[in-house]
């Protein structure tokens, strides 16, 4: 199992959950070694593919959507 993760540096910052048409949020998750959940992943609300982004629980109005994880025109 690889616990190193992946670093994505290019993203969009979306400030409202209502900006999305089809986005799902995972259950709260914790970083390795954290005592409490700190974030939720964003996934496609239609096909459940993801994660396509992340939202941190301490800043619930900041949704980070990774460029590398979505197709756009």
């Amino acid at each position: 199992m690889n616990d190193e993760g992946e670093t994505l540096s290019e993203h969009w910052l979306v400030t409202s959950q209502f900006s999305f048409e089809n986005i799902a949020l995972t259950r709260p998750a914790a970083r390795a070694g954290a005592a409490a959940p700190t974030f939720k992943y964003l996934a496609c609300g239609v096909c459940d593919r993801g994660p396509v982004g992340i939202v941190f629980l301490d800043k619930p109005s900041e949704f980070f959507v990774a460029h590398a994880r979505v197709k756009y025109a």
Side-chain angles (χ1 to χ4, degrees):
M1 183 173 152
N2 183 355
D3 290 335
E4 291 181 25
E6 177 182 8
T7 300
L8 299 172
S9 59
E10 295 181 345
H11 62 274
W12 288 290
L13 173 61
V14 180
T15 57
S16 173
Q17 185 173 358
F18 300 107
S19 297
F20 299 105
E21 289 186 26
N22 290 308
I23 202 75
L25 297 172
T26 65
R27 292 184 176 152
R31 293 182 182 135
T38 56
F39 65 91
K40 292 181 181 181
Y41 286 117
L42 307 176
C44 176
V46 175
C47 66
D48 291 331
R49 286 192 138 182
V52 297
I54 195 168
V55 59
F56 294 98
L57 299 178
D58 62 340
K59 296 190 179 194
S61 62
E62 293 183 354
F63 300 85
F64 296 93
V65 180
H67 286 196
R69 297 290 179 94
V70 295
K71 290 186 180 183
Y72 55 95

